[in-house]
Amino acid sequence: MSEFTHLDGAGQARMVDVTDKVPTVRSATAEARVECGPHVVAALREDSVPKGDVLAVARVAGIAAAKRTPELLPLAHVIGVHGVVVDAEIADYGVHLRATVRTADRTGVEMEALTAVSVAALNVVDMVKGLDKSVTITGVRLLSKTGGKSGDWHRDRD
């Protein structure tokens, strides 16, 4: 049985020591959906949301969030986030968000990608909540990761 590396000998949570690991190129992509009513989708398409450019704010918020992941997740490592792309598209159900984060470091960026789409989604909600209180964030999930000891992983299409 393999040791769960986030626990010490007494079963207490700890941050894994990655000092001896060699930096490698790594990436991760995650997605999220913000579901809202048809009138909000129309306002998004017409660029008439009273708070401004929803997609631009979501993209910038997602980028900023990826870089701040260790402040939010206590066992996440502070790593060099070398690239972040957050895409935001209006869909018939609302907004589809996708983030890809890249690094050349000792640990992966899966949590950074998930944090980016989550915070981008929260910003969409914040900007449209005056138009629709029933806005819902769904489908936050990792799509793929590359690099590192465990190699590449890609979610099967569903």
Side-chain angles (χ1 to χ4, degrees):
M1 185 170 156
S2 65
E3 176 187 350
F4 183 48
T5 59
H6 284 82
L7 299 177
D8 65 14
Q12 302 295 312
R14 69 177 172 105
M15 184 181 214
V16 175
D17 185 349
V18 296
T19 306
D20 293 332
K21 290 177 81 176
V22 176
T24 60
V25 174
R26 301 157 184 263
S27 70
T29 299
E31 71 177 352
R33 294 168 51 122
V34 180
E35 298 175 357
C36 47
H39 65 289
V40 177
V41 174
L44 287 164
R45 287 188 169 133
E46 295 163 5
D47 197 22
S48 63
V49 174
K51 284 192 169 183
D53 189 340
V54 174
L55 302 185
V57 171
R59 282 190 289 271
V60 172
I63 292 166
K67 296 189 290 183
R68 298 185 76 158
T69 299
E71 294 175 34
L72 302 169
L73 303 174
L75 299 182
H77 291 86
V78 176
I79 61 172
V81 173
H82 299 122
V84 181
V85 174
V86 178
D87 294 316
E89 288 183 1
I90 300 166
D92 289 341
Y93 60 78
V95 178
H96 181 257
L97 299 155
R98 183 179 176 113
T100 299
V101 180
R102 291 182 43 85
T103 189
D105 217 314
R106 292 173 169 86
T107 189
V109 284
E110 295 92 340
M111 297 314 299
E112 286 76 3
L114 287 161
T115 300
V117 294
S118 298
V119 171
L122 287 168
N123 275 269
V124 172
V125 171
D126 181 49
M127 294 194 68
V128 303
K129 69 184 184 224
L131 301 173
D132 184 357
K133 299 285 189 243
S134 68
V135 176
T136 304
I137 297 170
T138 66
V140 177
R141 63 189 190 160
L142 186 66
L143 295 176
S144 65
K145 59 84 64 186
T146 64
K149 182 174 151 184
S150 65
D152 296 354
W153 175 86
H154 300 276
R155 178 175 296 281
D156 291 333
R157 294 270 182 209
D158 46 29

